[in-house]
């Protein structure tokens, strides 16, 4: 706020020094002003304020090199032990230059905030630049302000660059005229979130970050290695050139193959000086439990009739098309939608109707299906959902895949006197935040179609209804991850609604009973699905084929069992073999302390 | 600083700047700021430049400063339940919605824009307290004070001599990539050049006034302020020479390692590449070296917190 001087920059060196190992500078900026005031006999300041100034400086004094000062400034919030341990390591052993590579959901933002705060308190950082994806700018600003009391501002206009703590999107920052302005500045600290965007040294992102002048630097990414070893080299070179040797040393010493490291021990040692990676599976990081309940919903005769009619229609089309899965996409959607709501089916049918030629025999068949829709009076699933909401009588999030179902549910809940708000991918940032505010406040229910993307952190809610289940397990996991994350203090209750006698019943069985999805950790699932894809088709396609080609229920059941078996086999493989990628090197970089240690460290 | 110390600090600041305390308890103040304090604390430069140009009567802001949030909340909750329903916070919901809307477009709204009596919790490290610290520092940089003589001891027609001293509070930082700090208070007699330490603590025990008391005369200063500053620098250097600089040696060691690592990376690279690229790489190399020096170079820096001329009768 008042740039008196910047005493942290290198001392100019007057030649006098108390010890040959240090430079020394004596502040003389005050002598002239005091002399001038004395000559003019004033104006003089107030003695009480003079004394208060000394008292304030004494209170702020950083009396030790080691102890974390930031902790005594954060009464409103208590970081987790692994976050404190990470901050400590970055400050004391890494000199403030590090890659924070924790797995998703362990609080990299908190760690970065803690480190930044500590340097600010110590007077070592006065200006910081924080570059993040555009969608995360406001979230960062909010976290830094609310959790850490750091007066960060979002970059909106040209003049916001002059604030001491600016959060901006990397894409904006690297463009002119911003680029030139930023390159002309010195930043005490640079933080880059989602730093895996800096893996290719030929990109403008990389070159821009390389050119920025910074003292301390934090790169945040959950996936430090995605494809090949060169990415790792580039990322680390950005932070500390030479840490892994020159490019040719690196290739000779550490690379067996594009994707395969060698001399793992030495590599790990070199990495541990610049990278920290905490994992969920490490001790000391505890999550609350997930309690999964599968709720059976019996279709009404009318709904069952529609389901059968749609299934028959879809299979007939499939057979007519010569069993070509690629041309079946919209029809498979139809098959999935029929388990969700008649509204969703109707919308797709209308679109299908518009697309078919006027004289096509398809048209009359579609009309027949619409007739089935017309006969349906109530949505059995929605009533079940309502029942759950009424019994929990608490904040609840409902996920559905379909926009039409979402609209229907909002309407339905409103009719029954429950305040519900929507959330979907297509909303702009402001509207999304607005819906979040409403849900945090008066609304009891959030009906969401989108689970991916950051920004929906719903720790305050611990009831979740899967109104329909996506066929892609990753999407299920993403949904759960919104609610079941660090900071969630309650056990999370997950209700999966499934309709009996439909494909849904099988999907729930596969995800829950066969592969036990709900208890897997994120990284594990990812790995297995990738393997599955490498060997055969993606899971979604295999499910589609199963539905379209099986002869009756027993046949589907056999297919699902087989699928479950092959997934579990892959899972066993994954556990047995050392992982193909660099992940074998990364896990040991965790800083999670022992239990006793952690408790002692929480507050000095 | 604990809650009590903060409370005392705030109280003294408000009194010193002439603010009107509307209501107070051991855990809070409701205060109408004085113009001087308003300028320092409310961050309204446009408003104040408007007042200065047009000469209108300024309307200063009122603040609720809470020095112990937990106790204050308990206190207000109790008061509320006692006078149940007696005019609860009307329009609270609308206000909240307004704040939420602002925070959507700015990411964050500092508490108390728009509300009439914004509340600030003054825990250590909070922004408002930081602001008070900074305001105290800006408002208390240079003083000139006279020691009040003990009236009973003095004959009414006598004139007591008093000697001018330069008093300086200096913060010393031991900096590499980390930092440790110390505060020192030096005093130099402008008559004799005697240097003493812990000068500020001595001052605190004395009765000091900005005006020359009636029966006191000031003896001449033989030292200029510049010369006195030199003496303080010398004294500080002498003191610092007795310290342990193991941390600096370690930092230099790390610095050397880092520079060697850089050289190992860049020097072969410089040899391999052609002229055009070499320039770019050389520039990058230089920039990295600069950064590492900036980050690691051990140094002892000083910062004068404030300074003053003190006319003291007790000391020579």
């Amino acid at each position: 706020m008042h740039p008196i001087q910047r005493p942290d920059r290198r001392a100019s060196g007057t030649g006098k020094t108390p010890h040959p190992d240090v430079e020394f500078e004596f502040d003389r900026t005050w002598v002239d002003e005091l002399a001038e005031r004395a000559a003019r006999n004033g104006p003089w300041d107030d003695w009480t304020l003079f004394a208060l100034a000394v008292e304030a400086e004494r209170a702020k004094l950083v009396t030790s090199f080691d102890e974390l000062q930031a902790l005594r400034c954060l009464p409103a919030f208590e970081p987790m032990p692994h976050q404190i341990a990470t901050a400590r390591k970055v400050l004391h052993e890494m000199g403030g230059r590090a890659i924070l590579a924790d797995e998703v959901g362990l609080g990299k933002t908190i760690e970065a905030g803690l480190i930044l705060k500590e340097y600010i308190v110590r007077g070592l950082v006065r200006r910081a630049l924080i570059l993040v994806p555009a969608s995360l700018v406001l979230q960062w600003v909010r976290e830094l302000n609310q959790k850490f009391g750091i007066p960060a501002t979002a970059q909106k206009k040209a003049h916001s660059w002059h604030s001491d703590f600016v959060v901006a999107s990397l894409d904006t920052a690297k463009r002119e005229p911003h680029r030139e302005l930023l390159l002309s500045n010195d930043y005490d600290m640079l933080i880059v979130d989602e730093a895996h965007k800096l893996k290719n040294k030929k990109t403008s992102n990389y070159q821009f970050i390389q050119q920025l002048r910074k003292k301390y630097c934090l790169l945040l990414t959950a996936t430090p290695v995605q494809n090949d070893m060169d990415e790792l080299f580039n990322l680390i070179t950005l932070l500390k050139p030479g840490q892994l040797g020159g490019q040719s040393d690196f290739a000779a010493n550490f690379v067996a193959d594009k994707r395969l490291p060698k001399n793992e021990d030495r590599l790990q040692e070199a990495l541990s000086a610049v990278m920290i990676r905490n994992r969920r599976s490490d001790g000391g990081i505890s999550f609350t439990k997930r309690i999964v309940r599968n709720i059976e919903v019996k279709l009404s005769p009318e709904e069952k009739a529609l389901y059968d009619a749609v299934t028959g229609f879809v299979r007939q089309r499939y057979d007519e098309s010569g069993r070509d899965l690629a041309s079946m996409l919209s029809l498979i959607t139809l098959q999935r939608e029929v388990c969700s709501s008649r509204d969703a089916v109707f919308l797709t049918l209308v679109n299908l109707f518009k697309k078919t030629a006027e004289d096509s025999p398809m048209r009359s068949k579609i009309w027949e299906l619409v007739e089935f829709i017309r006969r349906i009076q109530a949505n059995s699933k929605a009533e079940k959902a309502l029942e759950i909401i009424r019994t929990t009588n608490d904040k609840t999030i409902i996920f559905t895949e379909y926009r039409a179902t979402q609209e229907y549910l909002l309407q339905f809940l409103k009719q029954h006197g429950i305040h519900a708000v929507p959330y979907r991918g297509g909303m702009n940032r402001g509207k999304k935040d607005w819906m979040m505010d409403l849900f945090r406040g008066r609304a009891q229910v959030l009906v969401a179609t989108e689970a991916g993307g950051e920004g929906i952190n719903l720790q305050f809610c611990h009831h979740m209804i899967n109104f329909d289940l996506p066929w892609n397990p990753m999407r299920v996991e993403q949904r759960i991850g919104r609610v079941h994350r660090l900071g969630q203090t309650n056990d999370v209750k997950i209700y999966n609604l499934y309709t009996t006698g439909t494909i849904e019943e099988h999907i729930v069985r596969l995800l829950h009973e066969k592969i036990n999805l709900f208890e897997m950790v994120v990284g594990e699932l990812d790995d297995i699905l990738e393997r599955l894809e490498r060997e055969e088709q993606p899971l979604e396609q295999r499910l589609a084929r199963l539905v379209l080609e099986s002869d009756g229920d027993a046949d589907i059941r056999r297919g699902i069992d087989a699928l479950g078996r092959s997934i579990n086999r892959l899972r066993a493989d994954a556990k047995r073999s050392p992982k193909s990628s660099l992940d074998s090197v990364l896990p040991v970089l965790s800083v999670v302390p022992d239990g006793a240690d952690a408790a002692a460290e929480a507050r000095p | 600083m604990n809650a009590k110390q903060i409370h005392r600090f705030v109280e003294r600041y408000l009194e010193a700047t002439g603010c009107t305390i509307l209501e107070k308890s051991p855990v809070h103040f409701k205060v109408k700021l004085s113009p001087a304090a308003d300028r320092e604390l409310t961050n309204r430069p446009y408003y104040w430049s408007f007042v200065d140009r047009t000469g209108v009567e300024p309307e200063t802001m009122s603040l609720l400063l809470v020095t112990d949030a937990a106790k204050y909340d308990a206190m207000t909750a109790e008061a509320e339940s006692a006078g149940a329903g007696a005019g609860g916070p009307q329009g609270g919901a609308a206000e909240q919605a307004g704040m939420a809307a602002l925070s959507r477009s700015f990411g964050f709204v500092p508490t108390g824009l728009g509300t009439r009596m914004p509340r600030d919790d003054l825990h250590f490290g909070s922004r408002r307290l930081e602001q008070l610290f900074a305001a105290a520092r800006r408002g208390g940089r240079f003083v000139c004070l006279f020691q009040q003589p003990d009236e009973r001891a003095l004959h009414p027609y006598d004139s007591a001599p008093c000697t001018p001293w330069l008093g300086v509070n200096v913060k010393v930082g031991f900096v590499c990539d980390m930092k440790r700090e110390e505060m020192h208070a030096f005093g130099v007699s402008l008559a004799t050049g005697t240097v003493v330490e812990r000068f500020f603590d001595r001052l605190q025990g004395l009765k000091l006034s900005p005006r020359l008391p009636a029966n006191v005369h000031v003896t001449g200063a033989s030292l200029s302020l510049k010369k006195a500053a030199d003496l303080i620098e010398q004294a500080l250097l002498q003191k610092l020479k007795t310290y342990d600089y193991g941390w600096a040696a370690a930092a230099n060691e790390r610095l050397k390692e880092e520079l060697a690592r850089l050289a190992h990376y860049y020097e072969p690279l410089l040899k391999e590449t052609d002229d055009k690229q070499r320039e770019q790489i050389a520039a990058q190399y230089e920039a990295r070296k600069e950064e590492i020096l900036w980050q690691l170079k051990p140094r002892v820096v000083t910062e004068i917190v404030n300074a003053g001329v003190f006319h003291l009768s007790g000391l020579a």
Side-chain angles (χ1 to χ4, degrees):
Chain A
M1 255 188 296
H2 52 111
I4 301 176
Q5 64 224 154
R6 311 199 51 186
D8 64 306
R9 297 305 301 266
R10 249 161 297 138
S12 62
T14 47
K16 295 176 202 163
T17 169
H19 189 274
D21 268 331
V22 294
E23 281 181 2
F24 174 75
E25 189 176 38
F26 187 67
D27 176 10
R28 291 184 162 274
T29 50
W30 54 282
V31 181
D32 287 342
E33 192 175 346
L34 180 63
E36 194 177 313
R37 290 205 198 190
R40 291 190 185 173
N41 201 15
W44 296 110
D45 296 332
D46 182 78
W47 167 234
T48 308
L49 291 183
F50 185 94
L52 287 177
V54 175
E55 207 174 293
E57 289 303 328
R58 280 183 176 169
K60 288 201 300 185
L61 218 54
V62 178
T63 49
S64 133
F65 278 118
D66 308 319
E67 201 181 308
L68 284 193
Q69 308 285 318
L71 294 179
R72 61 178 183 145
C73 303
L74 305 170
F77 145 76
E78 194 147 346
M80 316 264 301
H82 75 273
Q83 294 164 343
I84 295 175
T86 300
R88 231 176 258 266
K89 184 160 185 211
V90 171
L91 287 154
H92 299 147
E93 292 168 39
M94 299 176 159
R97 284 195 166 223
I99 296 171
L100 303 180
D102 287 3
E103 285 182 343
V104 179
L106 294 184
K108 289 186 285 292
T109 314
I110 304 290
E111 290 163 4
L114 204 52
I115 294 162
L116 177 59
K117 180 75 180 180
E118 181 67 23
Y119 279 127
I120 293 173
V121 171
R122 287 176 176 266
L124 288 166
V125 168
R126 271 158 219 248
R127 288 193 80 185
L129 178 65
I130 296 140
L131 298 176
V132 308
S135 61
L136 297 183
V137 169
L138 289 185
Q139 197 185 325
W140 266 88
V141 169
R142 200 172 306 154
E143 296 249 307
L144 291 178
N145 275 283
Q146 289 174 349
K147 291 216 172 90
F148 296 98
I150 297 171
T153 46
Q155 188 275 331
K156 293 213 158 166
K157 301 252 166 60
H159 69 255
S160 12
W161 291 121
H162 299 292
S163 312
D164 285 339
F165 304 100
V166 194
V167 184
S169 89
L170 177 55
D171 289 326
T172 307
K174 73 178 181 195
R175 281 200 314 262
E176 298 296 358
H178 313 294
R179 179 174 172 278
E180 203 183 320
L181 181 78
L182 296 179
L183 289 181
S184 71
N185 283 329
D186 288 344
Y187 289 98
D188 297 316
M189 176 170 259
L190 171 70
I191 297 176
V192 184
D193 195 6
E194 307 288 336
H196 44 263
K197 290 183 180 147
L198 304 173
K199 281 173 181 166
N200 183 343
K201 63 176 162 190
K202 296 205 173 68
T203 58
S204 58
N205 278 346
Y206 191 92
Q207 285 162 6
F208 173 64
I209 298 295
Q210 190 164 45
Q211 282 172 45
L212 276 173
R213 287 201 301 275
K214 63 258 173 199
K215 177 163 65 163
Y216 307 112
C217 181
L218 300 175
L219 304 178
L220 280 54
T221 171
T223 48
V225 191
Q226 264 172 335
N227 297 310
D228 60 60
M229 297 279 295
D230 277 346
E231 297 175 347
L232 186 69
F233 180 77
N234 290 339
L235 203 57
I236 283 171
T237 300
L238 200 54
L239 199 69
K240 266 189 164 186
Q243 178 66 25
L244 299 175
Q247 180 101 50
S248 50
D249 303 331
F250 175 70
N253 292 337
F254 297 123
V255 183
D257 178 52
K258 244 172 85 91
R259 299 181 65 145
L260 208 64
K262 63 179 183 188
N263 293 329
E264 275 100 335
D265 289 351
R266 264 180 61 205
L267 178 58
Q268 178 159 339
E269 196 188 313
L271 284 178
S272 69
V274 284
M275 190 191 289
I276 294 177
R277 181 167 173 82
N278 296 306
R279 323 187 114 220
R280 281 165 183 257
S281 47
D282 294 327
I285 301 172
S286 58
F287 283 86
T288 57
K289 266 192 282 188
R290 295 177 176 183
I291 298 167
V292 184
R293 288 183 56 200
N294 297 325
I295 311 278
E296 183 183 353
V297 179
K298 280 222 163 53
L299 292 177
S300 65
E302 295 82 18
E303 286 172 319
K304 181 71 180 153
L306 174 66
Y307 180 82
D308 291 339
V310 167
T311 309
F313 175 74
V314 170
R315 294 187 62 151
Q316 200 184 347
R317 291 277 85 70
Y318 181 58
D319 289 338
E320 282 169 14
S321 74
R323 304 209 151 191
D324 172 19
L325 205 55
S327 67
M328 293 293 293
L329 276 179
S330 64
L331 288 173
I332 290 169
T333 308
L334 199 62
Q335 177 73 55
R336 292 162 55 195
E337 283 169 338
V338 72
C339 301
S340 179
S341 73
R342 59 176 194 154
D343 304 64
V345 185
F346 181 69
L347 208 67
T348 307
L349 283 178
V350 169
N351 288 333
L352 204 61
F353 187 78
K354 281 191 204 146
K355 265 191 272 173
T356 39
E358 267 178 46
D359 53 352
S360 156
M362 274 265 279
R363 284 205 151 185
S364 65
K365 290 208 171 111
I366 291 173
W367 269 125
E368 277 169 32
L369 291 176
V370 172
E371 276 307 312
F372 278 105
I373 292 178
R374 223 182 273 248
R375 274 179 230 142
I376 295 175
Q377 299 303 321
N379 185 323
S380 315
K381 256 187 174 176
E383 306 208 329
K384 200 71 177 177
L386 181 67
E387 202 182 302
I388 295 170
I389 293 165
R390 285 209 169 127
T391 40
T392 61
N393 198 22
D394 201 353
K395 301 271 179 207
T396 306
I397 178 165
I398 304 182
F399 279 109
T400 170
E401 289 274 276
Y402 311 105
R403 189 59 198 278
T405 305
Q406 183 187 37
E407 298 287 350
Y408 169 75
L409 280 172
L410 288 166
Q411 185 91 32
F412 176 79
L413 292 171
K414 194 173 163 199
Q415 273 169 12
H416 290 83
I418 285 173
H419 190 357
V421 290
Y423 188 96
R424 57 180 155 258
M427 288 175 172
N428 65 30
R429 193 71 232 155
K431 185 148 186 197
K432 281 182 178 171
D433 283 350
W434 182 24
M435 292 304 139
M436 279 304 130
D437 287 339
L438 286 174
F439 185 39
R440 210 170 282 127
R442 276 172 300 177
Q444 189 193 343
V445 176
L446 183 80
V447 186
T449 52
E450 188 207 48
E454 276 289 334
I456 36 177
N457 299 335
L458 299 167
Q459 291 98 321
F460 57 89
C461 157
H462 58 275
H463 294 284
M464 178 182 143
I465 299 176
N466 283 313
F467 195 78
D468 37 53
L469 275 177
W471 288 11
N472 179 345
M474 271 318 277
R475 283 179 63 85
V476 182
E477 182 53 43
Q478 267 176 349
R479 285 178 173 184
I480 301 170
R482 296 295 114 210
V483 175
H484 190 240
R485 42 175 43 231
L486 274 193
Q488 175 61 266
T489 48
N490 290 292
D491 289 345
V492 173
K493 300 214 173 62
I494 303 163
Y495 305 90
N496 298 317
L497 299 184
Y498 72 95
T499 44
T500 41
T502 70
I503 180 68
E504 262 188 347
E505 192 178 352
H506 298 291
I507 305 269
V508 166
R509 215 161 59 83
L510 176 70
L511 297 184
H512 190 195
E513 287 162 32
K514 295 288 158 199
I515 61 180
N516 209 358
L517 164 77
F518 299 97
E519 273 146 47
M520 255 191 239
V521 282
V522 178
E524 193 185 0
L525 182 64
D526 227 352
D527 195 38
I528 292 168
L529 292 179
E530 199 183 305
R531 279 162 186 269
L532 190 68
E533 217 155 304
R534 232 179 288 150
E535 279 188 19
E536 302 164 65
Q537 292 164 315
L539 188 61
E540 282 164 285
Q541 278 181 36
R542 296 189 50 171
L543 283 170
R545 202 170 279 280
L546 203 60
V547 176
L548 293 170
E549 290 173 7
S550 62
D551 278 337
D553 207 50
D555 203 23
I556 295 188
R557 189 172 290 267
R558 270 193 298 280
I560 292 278
D561 286 349
L563 200 52
R565 272 195 302 277
S566 63
I567 289 172
N568 281 328
R569 179 175 49 76
L570 288 172
R571 191 173 182 181
D573 280 358
K575 280 208 178 118
R576 224 176 305 119
S577 69
K579 292 201 185 132
S580 61
S581 73
L582 252 184
D583 244 21
S584 56
V585 182
L586 296 174
V588 202
L589 302 175
S590 134
V591 297
V592 175
D594 299 338
D597 211 340
E601 267 175 332
R603 252 338 122 110
Chain B
M1 249 185 176
N2 59 32
K4 247 194 201 125
Q5 289 165 320
I6 291 172
H7 190 81
R8 187 76 196 109
F9 184 94
V10 174
E11 187 166 35
R12 281 159 68 208
Y13 178 84
L14 296 177
E15 278 167 10
T17 50
C19 298
T20 316
I21 294 176
L22 306 171
E23 182 189 311
K24 69 171 180 177
S25 78
V27 294
H28 86 288
F29 298 99
K30 274 185 183 164
V31 63
K32 183 164 174 61
L33 297 175
S34 65
D38 192 290
R39 277 173 205 263
E40 285 284 353
L41 299 179
T42 61
N43 195 18
R44 303 191 291 170
Y46 294 114
Y47 175 70
W48 281 105
S49 81
F50 162 76
V51 169
D52 290 342
R53 274 179 296 141
T54 60
V56 295
E57 189 65 21
E59 180 58 43
T60 60
M61 283 176 65
S62 297
L63 303 178
L64 166 59
L65 303 174
V66 177
T67 51
D68 190 328
K71 280 192 191 147
Y72 179 78
D73 287 339
M75 194 176 84
T76 47
E78 206 172 285
E80 227 159 71
S81 62
Q90 293 282 315
E95 208 162 79
Q96 251 180 9
M99 295 293 276
L102 278 175
S103 103
R104 274 194 296 281
S105 44
F106 295 102
F108 172 77
V109 183
T111 44
L113 279 181
T115 40
R116 260 159 300 151
M117 175 94 70
R119 169 179 169 168
D120 283 296
D121 291 345
L122 300 184
H123 56 83
F124 187 78
S126 74
R127 214 179 291 174
R128 186 64 90 187
L129 190 62
E130 284 292 319
Q131 207 187 16
L132 286 173
F133 284 179
R137 177 132 182 215
R138 264 196 305 276
R141 291 173 65 208
F142 299 110
V143 294
C144 176
L145 296 163
F146 300 88
Q147 184 180 357
Q148 298 278 37
D150 190 345
E151 276 162 29
R152 278 158 305 168
L154 212 64
H155 193 275
Y157 299 112
D158 265 359
S159 180
C162 67
T163 317
W165 286 72
L166 168 65
V168 172
N169 293 304
V170 54
K171 201 159 80 169
V172 184
F174 305 89
V175 188
C176 50
D177 60 315
M178 285 306 280
K179 184 177 183 181
R180 186 176 74 80
E181 293 171 326
E182 287 180 357
M183 276 272 275
H184 295 282
F186 287 101
V188 191
S189 161
L190 294 178
T192 63
T194 313
V195 180
V196 298
E197 286 186 42
R198 309 184 69 86
F199 188 64
F200 180 75
D201 295 339
R202 288 199 201 193
L203 291 175
Q204 279 194 306
L206 305 178
K207 252 198 250 166
L208 296 166
S209 146
R211 263 171 297 281
L212 182 65
N215 43 7
V216 161
H217 67 274
V218 176
T219 58
S222 59
L223 247 64
S224 71
L225 288 172
K226 269 204 174 65
K227 190 80 190 89
D230 289 344
L231 291 177
I232 291 178
E233 181 179 0
Q234 271 176 30
L236 179 61
L237 264 171
Q238 282 310 320
K239 189 178 177 65
L240 292 176
K241 276 185 182 159
T242 63
Y243 283 39
D244 174 21
Y245 289 89
W247 63 273
N252 274 326
E253 200 53 44
R254 267 179 294 153
L255 183 62
K256 223 186 290 169
E257 271 172 35
E258 294 283 341
L259 288 173
R261 189 172 291 143
L262 271 191
H264 182 72
Y265 178 79
Y266 278 107
E267 267 155 27
L269 207 58
L270 282 172
K271 270 183 219 140
E272 285 163 21
T273 45
D274 54 68
D275 290 345
K276 207 171 162 203
Q277 271 204 313
R278 188 176 302 141
E279 214 168 282
Q280 242 183 18
I281 293 173
Q284 216 183 74
Y285 185 20
E286 279 311 307
R288 288 291 157 278
K289 278 199 269 193
E290 276 280 310
E291 281 178 10
I292 286 180
L293 284 171
W294 180 15
Q295 183 190 0
L296 285 174
K297 185 124 190 112
R299 54 212 185 263
V300 176
V301 294
T302 56
E303 190 185 342
I304 300 308
V305 175
N306 47 22
V309 180
F310 301 87
H311 301 87
L312 308 180
S313 50
L315 296 160

